[in-house]
Amino acid sequence: MAKQIIPKKYAMPHQDPQVRAKNFDEVALGYTEELAVAEAERCLNCKKPFCKEGCPVSVDIPEFIALVKERKFEEAAKVIKRTNALPAVCGRVCPQENQCEKFCVVGKKNEPVGIGRLERFVGDYIVQKDERIEKAEPTGYKVAIVGSGPAGLACAADLARLGHSVTMYEALHTPGGVLMYGIPEFRLPKAIVQKEIENLKKMGVEIETNAIIGQIASLDELFKEEGFDAAFLGTGAGTPYFMNLPGENYNGVYSANEFLTRSNLMKAYCFPECDTPVKVGKKVAVLGGGNVAMDAARTALRLGAEEVYIVYRRSRAELPARLEEVEHAEEEGVQFLFLTNPTRYVGSEDGWLTGLECIKMELGEPDASGRRKPVPIPGSEYVLPVDVAIVAIGQGPNPLLTNTTPDLETNKRGNIVADESTGKTSKEGVYAGGDVVTGAATVIKAMGAGRTAAKSIHEYLLSKS
Amino acid sequence: MYKIVAKKTLAPAIHEFDILAPKVAKKAKAGQFIIVRVDENGERIPLTIADYDREAGTITIVFAEAGYSTKKLALLNAGDAVQDFVGPLGVPSHIEKFGNVVMVAGGVGVAPVFPIAREMKAAGNHVVGIMGARNQELIFWEEKMKEACSELLVTTDDGSYVRKGFVTDVLREYVEKEGKPDLVMAIGPLPMMRAVANLTKEFEIKTMVSLNSIMVDGTGMCGACRVTVGGETRFVCVDGPEFDGHLVDFEEQLTRSRQYKTEEQHALNRGGCGCGGGGKCHG
């Protein structure tokens, strides 16, 4: 087996940074068939695939890659879809560097196999095809799924495959959760998300939009009046945190959730062709250093801002965002102000934001997390002139559902308490997973939790009969 | 899609729609609101629930043509449908037997006041309705209000109907003559609610107002509808829409309500699309 290994991944074609910073089209253009087959050739097809163990939904990675080598793309898609309902989505947004690709044997001495890129290629290939979806033999059980984000979608797919009758309730007018309102078009085209969701409908999953459980019906009413046998709660972490700084309610200060919802879900970037407006600042500050902050900054740039700053209190090494996202933002011209903490918003007489007062920080003693804690440098305050500020410091769970379900145990942050290995909550027949349990995490982790819960729900239903 | 089963034009540029939404109608309570999206490219706009019929499965909304989306909504007729209709949203009005309750309605505010007044009366309160409009032409639902209230006082800014004066003039006269009511509720344009709150503060009468801020989702996930109440930030959509009128920062609310003035004008003039020609806005 003295196979010559190509040391680097085959490069993925990208839009030029100068061009793409001005449009909402997808940045990464995806592999061609030739590139996909060539990349697949780099896989050693290990007997003991460590990559699979790194995947939260345990995709049979070597098996699908072997099929790509043979140009059997449809079969490859079938293999992936056994465990992952949304390959075109996950191939794009998973942090592969911390998951499958982190454990790739090829990656020990060279670059790992581009598993994410291959998954994306296969996902896109099958999205273009009119896939034949088989409906399972009905079991007669009804399961309600609250929230149609990644956790709910994965849970629905597995339960439908097992023959249960699944209804998803979604508060917004479009299903998909963060895939629709949070992650921008240039990272995840919405048409692809909707196509993947259409396939779920073909499997028999009913999706009811504009339905807020907790307002239109309580969880108990779903069981009592609608006759559901079990429920999965995947309501996410959609409530924005603010910093509670003076001037936070000036015009021009957004939560990242609002800014991104306007742009992505409501397509404010097409205003006035679409009716929802968004403030396009000349100078924009984004507070925070996670993926949401990167998305907000890159969106502001595309809407036409001249200067976009990421304001982050630690240094570059501590940025919680994926390296790839940070690099993309830098290439596009986003400026980073490290060791900088916002202290208050400055506004005009008539209530509009004119600046963000910041204080410089220096690294002090290590804190509980082992990282050196940033401490303010007294007297180093200065005002950064901006007309739009976007707060991207995190989100918490929305209490609309838990408030109306008194016997559902939550922790002090408002997250639903659920067993990690089963998704079981304190309420009989009710399971939960994703960000509503863990706090804001990743798409794939939410999907993993949805699958775990689906398995438990299936066992629970069978035990009832 | 949600069908418009009836449409009435109540006054120039003020319309009443009955919309078929059985699940919303089953749960709707006085004081709550809905969010409507006219069509695929539409924005989400909040409108207060003016009435509901649980049997027929309909919700009544009343709106004035104020900007682009309400003008677009006004073009629809009975038999047409709106794309999205979400609700009931917000916290219902707190209804109990307070004693004497004065319900103040300014302009289109008559519509959201009506179901609350009706509930207040049903709970055993003596309900005094005060309704005001710019002129006689803009007065609507007078008969409905008479039924919902124990007594009804009407006024017009220009004196073209019943009497001349603002709702605050009527309220001041009432309080001076009849003494302090146990509760005042005011719904209408922000400056009118602010004026009522300032007046009742003078007399130390507990006052509730219903805010109609800019909203996007209406479920507490974005904070577009932020308001400062007693020095704390609240979200109108999930913590409200009703708040203690003496604690609301009206100045800030007025500023925030003007946030998209320029864009609103732009939409009315309807220029080209900024999507770079990808046609994604129709995707």
Side-chain angles (χ1 to χ4, degrees):
Chain A
M1 273 300 285
K3 196 172 128 184
Q4 195 58 43
I5 291 183
I6 312 266
K8 282 192 177 306
K9 284 179 193 176
Y10 284 89
M12 172 107 94
H14 279 78
Q15 268 199 80
D16 178 86
Q18 302 310 313
V19 176
R20 74 184 192 227
K22 303 273 186 288
N23 71 44
F24 276 85
D25 299 336
E26 196 172 12
V27 168
L29 302 168
Y31 276 157
T32 57
E33 277 188 29
E34 267 46 49
L35 281 171
V37 172
E39 183 64 30
E41 293 287 352
R42 295 182 66 234
C43 172
L44 306 175
N45 203 350
C46 302
K47 287 264 182 307
K48 194 171 164 25
F50 292 107
C51 53
K52 184 180 164 179
E53 287 170 42
C55 172
V57 295
S58 310
V59 166
D60 290 308
I61 294 164
E63 196 181 338
F64 100 73
I65 293 182
L67 289 161
V68 173
K69 284 182 203 175
E70 296 175 42
R71 293 184 184 262
K72 292 182 176 164
F73 306 127
E74 258 176 84
E75 285 86 340
K78 276 206 179 69
V79 170
I80 299 176
K81 287 209 169 185
R82 288 203 294 249
T83 57
N84 182 353
L86 311 168
V89 171
C90 292
R92 284 174 169 81
V93 303
C94 271
Q96 288 97 3
E97 65 276 14
N98 301 325
Q99 295 171 352
C100 52
E101 294 181 21
K102 185 178 175 179
F103 299 97
C104 172
V105 171
V106 176
K108 290 209 188 308
K109 288 203 176 81
N110 301 295
E111 279 194 9
V113 175
I115 300 167
R117 297 169 182 193
L118 289 169
E119 180 180 48
R120 170 192 163 145
F121 170 80
V122 171
D124 284 359
Y125 180 89
I126 202 74
V127 155
Q128 312 306 345
K129 289 249 179 285
D130 200 16
E131 225 182 323
R132 268 201 53 238
I133 308 280
E134 286 151 35
K135 278 198 190 178
E137 197 58 38
T139 60
Y141 288 110
K142 282 178 72 176
V143 185
I145 292 185
V146 186
S148 65
L153 292 170
C155 190
D158 277 12
L159 289 167
R161 254 195 295 264
L162 292 161
H164 303 300
S165 158
V166 179
T167 306
M168 299 185 91
Y169 293 96
E170 168 55 49
L172 289 169
H173 56 264
T174 309
V178 77
L179 307 176
M180 289 305 291
Y181 74 75
I183 303 172
E185 181 76 21
F186 55 82
R187 281 214 293 135
L188 179 64
K190 303 305 151 217
I192 287 181
V193 179
Q194 288 309 309
K195 268 229 155 107
E196 302 238 59
I197 292 173
E198 281 307 310
N199 283 342
L200 281 187
K201 287 188 189 167
K202 284 187 203 163
M203 288 166 75
V205 174
E206 297 264 339
I207 303 181
E208 211 174 300
T209 50
N210 299 325
I212 305 167
I213 303 306
Q215 296 283 94
I216 208 159
S218 70
L219 189 55
D220 288 325
E221 283 167 344
L222 288 184
F223 281 88
K224 284 196 197 82
E225 293 175 25
E226 309 284 332
F228 284 101
D229 302 293
F232 173 76
L233 312 178
T235 48
T239 301
Y241 291 141
F242 284 93
M243 289 180 76
N244 298 319
L245 297 175
E248 202 144 57
N249 295 345
Y250 278 134
N251 286 355
V253 182
Y254 283 107
S255 73
N257 260 6
E258 181 187 354
F259 189 76
L260 291 170
T261 300
R262 283 179 181 273
S263 183
N264 299 326
L265 181 72
M266 307 311 294
K267 298 198 163 84
Y269 60 84
C270 294
F271 183 85
E273 202 69 20
C274 291
D275 305 343
T276 305
V278 67
K279 277 281 162 232
V280 178
K282 278 199 173 60
K283 292 183 188 316
V284 180
V286 178
L287 286 55
N291 289 327
V292 176
M294 301 306 136
D295 284 344
R298 297 172 69 197
T299 296
L301 213 54
R302 282 160 173 77
L303 287 169
E306 292 157 15
E307 309 262 331
V308 179
Y309 307 97
I310 293 265
V311 179
Y312 183 58
R313 65 197 181 99
R314 295 180 185 266
S315 57
R316 194 175 195 278
E318 283 98 12
L319 279 171
R322 287 179 72 187
L323 186 62
E324 188 188 2
E325 300 307 324
V326 175
E327 285 170 353
H328 278 169
E330 280 172 334
E331 287 164 10
E332 287 163 13
V334 172
Q335 300 169 60
F336 286 76
L337 303 174
F338 294 115
L339 292 166
T340 304
N341 209 24
T343 46
R344 68 186 175 98
Y345 299 92
V346 184
S348 63
E349 280 290 288
D350 55 1
W352 284 84
L353 183 74
T354 56
L356 180 69
E357 185 192 76
C358 301
I359 191 162
K360 293 196 167 140
M361 313 286 277
E362 58 189 349
L363 291 177
E365 293 303 306
D367 63 6
S369 74
R371 297 188 296 182
R372 289 179 64 193
K373 195 180 154 79
V375 280
I377 303 169
S380 67
E381 291 92 343
Y382 70 101
V383 174
L384 179 71
V386 290
D387 49 355
V388 164
I390 303 164
V391 185
I393 57 160
Q395 299 98 236
N398 187 315
L400 282 176
L401 182 136
T402 47
N403 278 353
T404 54
T405 318
D407 53 344
L408 189 65
E409 196 193 333
T410 53
N411 66 16
K412 61 178 189 301
R413 282 195 307 274
N415 297 101
I416 296 172
V417 177
D419 183 302
E420 204 185 330
S421 58
T422 60
K424 214 167 156 9
T425 69
S426 62
K427 200 172 160 68
E428 157 132 20
V430 178
Y431 297 76
D435 286 4
V436 74
V437 172
T438 58
T442 63
V443 167
I444 195 75
K445 284 209 172 84
M447 290 180 66
R451 298 201 64 222
T452 300
K455 191 165 164 285
S456 305
I457 290 170
H458 182 61
E459 287 163 10
Y460 167 77
L461 293 173
L462 295 187
S463 75
K464 278 180 67 166
S465 46
Chain B
M1 299 294 274
Y2 300 76
K3 198 172 159 197
I4 299 162
V5 293
K7 176 187 184 179
K8 277 196 205 105
T9 296
L10 302 171
I14 299 178
H15 310 277
E16 173 186 336
F17 281 7
D18 290 344
I19 293 186
L20 187 64
K23 287 194 172 180
V24 186
K26 186 179 161 189
K27 288 283 179 173
K29 289 200 173 78
Q32 293 185 295
F33 65 97
I34 54 91
I35 278 189
V36 66
R37 202 166 73 107
V38 178
D39 57 31
E40 209 34 74
N41 289 338
E43 62 180 329
R44 297 168 64 102
I45 52 169
L47 293 166
T48 319
I49 292 170
D51 204 351
Y52 45 85
D53 183 335
R54 302 205 204 282
E55 296 288 297
T58 56
I59 295 277
T60 303
I61 52 170
V62 172
F63 63 97
E65 293 179 39
Y68 184 79
S69 289
T70 41
K71 284 191 198 306
K72 193 152 117 170
L73 188 59
L75 294 175
L76 300 178
N77 293 303
D80 293 337
V82 292
Q83 183 78 32
D84 295 294
F85 192 81
V86 198
L89 300 164
V91 182
S93 300
H94 175 72
I95 308 282
E96 63 165 272
K97 191 170 173 181
F98 296 96
N100 271 338
V101 176
V102 177
M103 301 290 302
V104 190
V108 189
V110 168
V113 157
F114 164 76
I116 307 171
R118 185 175 57 185
E119 292 289 315
M120 286 289 188
K121 192 174 164 189
N125 291 292
H126 179 81
V127 179
V128 180
I130 299 176
M131 59 188 269
R134 276 205 314 278
N135 57 45
Q136 179 170 10
E137 240 192 341
L138 297 170
I139 294 278
F140 66 92
W141 279 21
E142 195 182 351
E143 287 311 307
K144 278 182 92 153
M145 282 293 284
K146 267 188 189 140
E147 261 175 62
C149 303
S150 316
E151 51 180 308
L152 180 67
L153 308 167
V154 181
T155 182
T156 46
D157 297 358
D158 67 354
S160 56
Y161 186 61
V162 184
R163 59 159 289 172
K164 184 175 165 62
F166 296 136
V167 287
T168 39
D169 300 330
V170 181
L171 178 61
R172 183 180 286 279
E173 288 164 25
Y174 176 85
V175 175
E176 282 167 354
K177 194 161 133 255
E178 305 288 340
K180 290 199 315 187
D182 300 288
L183 175 72
V184 168
M185 259 192 108
I187 308 180
L190 274 170
M192 167 250 159
M193 292 194 282
R194 179 177 54 178
V196 169
N198 287 342
L199 173 67
T200 55
K201 209 171 187 151
E202 217 180 287
F203 290 102
E204 294 179 344
I205 306 162
K206 184 176 167 57
T207 301
M208 298 300 285
V209 295
S210 176
L211 299 178
N212 187 357
S213 340
I214 291 172
M215 288 188 190
V216 182
D217 62 286
T219 62
M221 66 172 260
C222 83
C225 62
R226 300 200 295 288
V227 56
T228 303
V229 183
E232 301 269 327
T233 293
R234 293 273 174 269
F235 290 5
V236 172
C237 69
V238 288
D239 302 319
E242 290 171 13
F243 295 100
D244 183 331
H246 298 154
L247 299 179
V248 170
D249 184 340
F250 280 106
E251 285 312 307
E252 184 185 273
Q253 275 301 285
L254 280 159
T255 304
R256 289 186 68 80
S257 72
R258 290 192 286 261
Q259 221 168 148
Y260 294 100
K261 270 274 176 287
T262 334
E263 288 79 3
E264 183 64 44
Q265 212 38 58
H266 202 63
L268 288 167
N269 305 340
R270 201 60 171 197
C273 153
C275 78
K280 279 203 202 63
C281 39
H282 305 297

